[in-house]
Amino acid sequence: MGGVGEPGEGPAQPGAPLPTFRWEQIRQHNLPGDKWLVIERRVYDISRWAQRHPGGSRLIGHHGAEDATDAFHAFHQDLNFVRKFLQPLLIGELAPEEPSQDGTQDAQLVEDFRALRQAAEDMKLFEAKPAFFALLLGHILAMEVLAWLLIYLFGPGWVPSTLAALVLATSQAQCWCLQHDLGHTSVFRKSQWNHVAQQFVMGQLKGFSAHWWNFRHFQHHAKPNIFHKDPDVTVAPIFLLGESSIEYGKKKRRYLPYNHQHLYFFLIGPPLLTLVNFEVENLAYMLVCMQWADLLWAASFYSRFFLCYSPFYGLPGALLLFVAVRVLESHWFVWITQMNHIPKEIGHEKHRDWASSQLAATCNVEPSLFTDWFSGHLNFQIEHHLFPTMPRHNYRRVAPLVKALCAKHGLNYEVKPFLTALVDIIGSLKKSGDVWLEAYLHQ
């Protein structure tokens, strides 16, 4: 072992003793262009490499000056392969007297969670069933064909058009679920196969960029419900969530009537997310980041859609059908994805351990065959956040182990009825709006 290292030392030389660092030294390196992180007690300087990180610089940067061991295990399938990229970035290791986690984190909880993960690996819960995902893709393609056949056989009247829109919206919703599985590399053994398949599902079947989705979604998983790190909750000044309602109230900020946000949510939330916000943000991302392959995939979706439906409706009618489908799927997307998060704790970085941070930001919804299918198994949000690469058909099997861990450490394993979870979104928005109003009037 070498002596205590000095900040700014370069990569460790092969065969040379590794310098050791204290947490107080590591904490100094959490600035743009100067970031260190700790994985398995080894210290890495990711300052320059972060821009080349496949998951994006923001994702890995959110763990700057932290122990990222559990995040490292959660996001990567082939750890040995990834370690090859880390080796040139190695600059030292934690001093022997230093704890593995900085701050007041529960070391026993961290140890027990890692034992739970190992138990899940021993039970082969990270191995996917190809037939399960083949069936998912098959029923998506079948719905796409069924929607077209309804118009082809019965004409573009109101009844067949309404049925076709509902079928297409269901297909689009299930596409979100399948591409989500692929984005988390939980379908195929090789990451590259997952990425190629995700580009097809996200691009050809939905008209969106897989890279854009991963850029947003991985940040959400790394730091769920953390302002400025989770894009899903960084929605001010349109909506105020959690701690932001107090901050806006104290600072006398009133861009919108936030005490009524639970009402205008119905006007600008579910109806417009995928139709407006996602479409604009997605296109801007592909152009700015020059994701030309994703742009071609998206173009193939729009070409197919309008070639299929313009002969029946004309271009304006086909565009109207497209808008109807997007609005319907947008309702599904918002309610299903936010019922597990918005009613939970939302605020600034608390620097918790992996298990505690995920449990604080997620809850489950009571399972049933319909709920599992309709939500893409996102009703098991706790298990999904703890183990992002686990195939969703294994959430039921790992759930008892997670419950036992929570019971042992006094953590809240929250499970709600489906309708209660939906209603709680509105209740949470109203609560945040009332908190804002009280702070606004009385500060």
Side-chain angles (χ1 to χ4, degrees), residues 1-6 9-10 12-13 16-21 43 91-95:
M1 299 289 292
V4 175
E6 292 299 326
E9 291 187 359
Q13 297 299 317
L18 288 174
T20 59
F21 297 98
V43 183
I91 58 172
E93 58 187 8
L94 284 175

Side-chain angles (χ1 to χ4, degrees), residues 401-423:
L401 302 180
V402 176
K403 290 179 186 177
L405 177 75
C406 292
K408 178 179 178 180
H409 291 275
L411 298 172
N412 184 24
Y413 185 93
E414 187 176 10
V415 183
K416 302 178 181 180
F418 181 62
L419 292 179
T420 300
L422 299 182
V423 172

Side-chain angles (χ1 to χ4, degrees), residues 28-316:
Q28 300 172 18
H29 297 269
N30 188 26
L31 301 171
D34 179 21
K35 285 190 183 291
W36 292 4
L37 54 77
V38 179
I39 297 175
E40 297 166 341
R41 296 191 61 85
R42 294 199 158 197
V43 183
Y44 298 92
D45 183 350
I46 62 167
S47 304
R48 296 181 179 179
W49 183 79
Q51 296 295 331
R52 302 196 300 274
H53 179 238
S57 60
R58 289 189 185 180
L59 172 63
I60 195 170
H62 290 338
H63 294 282
E66 292 183 355
D67 174 41
T69 301
D70 291 311
F72 175 73
H73 284 258
F75 285 116
H76 303 103
Q77 279 185 321
D78 190 342
L79 297 181
N80 290 328
F81 176 76
V82 180
R83 286 190 182 103
K84 295 178 182 178
F85 294 91
L86 285 176
Q87 188 60 37
L89 311 177
L90 178 65
I91 58 172
E93 58 187 8
L94 284 175
E97 67 274 11
E98 290 290 298
S100 295
Q101 294 81 38
D102 186 21
T104 59
Q105 296 176 7
D106 186 342
Q108 187 59 53
L109 170 59
V110 173
E111 182 180 340
D112 288 347
F113 173 72
R114 291 175 184 175
L116 189 159
R117 182 180 179 87
Q118 185 59 55
E121 291 177 358
D122 294 341
M123 294 169 65
K124 301 186 183 304
L125 298 185
F126 289 90
E127 295 184 7
K129 296 178 181 178
F132 175 87
F133 291 103
L135 184 62
L136 287 177
L137 177 60
H139 97 297
I140 288 170
L141 297 177
M143 284 188 283
E144 293 284 325
V145 174
L146 175 61
W148 184 83
L149 285 175
L150 284 170
I151 308 303
Y152 177 76
L153 295 175
F154 300 104
W158 280 106
V159 173
S161 295
T162 301
L163 290 175
L166 290 171
V167 171
L168 284 172
T170 305
S171 171
Q172 289 291 292
Q174 290 300 310
C175 278
W176 280 118
C177 300
L178 181 56
Q179 73 83 26
H180 176 251
D181 298 319
L182 292 162
H184 281 294
T185 65
S186 62
V187 178
F188 298 104
R189 290 181 181 273
K190 292 188 176 182
S191 297
Q192 187 61 32
W193 295 357
N194 286 287
H195 296 323
V196 171
Q198 186 192 20
Q199 282 189 306
F200 168 75
V201 174
M202 195 61 159
Q204 163 56 218
L205 298 184
K206 287 204 62 63
F208 288 103
S209 163
H211 288 90
W212 161 78
W213 169 263
N214 292 340
F215 170 76
R216 285 183 53 96
H217 193 61
F218 292 166
Q219 291 183 71
H220 162 70
H221 270 272
K223 298 289 182 177
N225 285 15
I226 302 298
F227 292 136
H228 310 301
K229 293 186 177 182
D230 179 359
D232 291 358
V233 298
T234 307
V235 292
I238 306 301
F239 296 103
L240 299 184
L241 305 174
E243 295 176 0
S244 67
S245 57
I246 300 176
E247 294 174 5
Y248 268 60
K250 288 182 177 179
K251 295 177 180 178
K252 302 297 183 181
R253 293 180 178 178
R254 184 173 185 170
Y255 302 107
L256 289 168
Y258 298 119
N259 52 312
H260 298 299
Q261 65 177 0
H262 61 292
L263 299 177
Y264 68 71
F265 169 78
F266 290 95
L267 298 176
I268 63 176
L272 301 179
L273 182 68
T274 63
L275 177 63
V276 178
N277 180 263
F278 276 11
E279 290 282 358
V280 172
E281 185 180 329
N282 168 72
L283 179 60
Y285 179 88
M286 288 190 290
L287 293 176
V288 171
C289 298
M290 296 183 289
Q291 295 289 346
W292 307 126
D294 283 6
L295 193 61
L296 288 174
W297 276 115
S300 73
F301 162 80
Y302 288 101
S303 298
R304 174 177 60 84
F305 186 92
F306 286 101
L307 284 173
C308 284
Y309 293 102
S310 292
F312 303 109
Y313 296 100
L315 188 59

Side-chain angles (χ1 to χ4, degrees), residues 174 177 332 336 339 370-379:
Q174 290 300 310
C177 300
W332 173 93
I336 290 301
M339 67 181 179
F370 172 77
T371 305
D372 293 355
W373 168 80
F374 186 69
S375 69
H377 287 82
L378 292 181
N379 51 320

Side-chain angles (χ1 to χ4, degrees), residues 301-376:
F301 162 80
Y302 288 101
S303 298
R304 174 177 60 84
F305 186 92
F306 286 101
L307 284 173
C308 284
Y309 293 102
S310 292
F312 303 109
Y313 296 100
L315 188 59
L319 181 61
L320 181 61
L321 176 64
F322 171 79
V323 169
V325 171
R326 279 287 189 254
V327 170
L328 288 170
E329 72 163 296
S330 188
H331 278 279
W332 173 93
F333 185 94
V334 171
W335 291 104
I336 290 301
T337 59
Q338 298 311 307
M339 67 181 179
N340 313 88
H341 292 298
I342 283 184
K344 299 296 289 184
E345 178 184 315
I346 302 175
H348 295 286
E349 178 67 82
K350 304 294 193 299
H351 297 289
R352 296 185 173 107
D353 62 87
W354 177 262
S356 296
S357 65
Q358 303 302 327
L359 283 160
T362 57
C363 68
N364 279 5
V365 173
E366 292 177 352
S368 70
L369 290 177
F370 172 77
T371 305
D372 293 355
W373 168 80
F374 186 69
S375 69

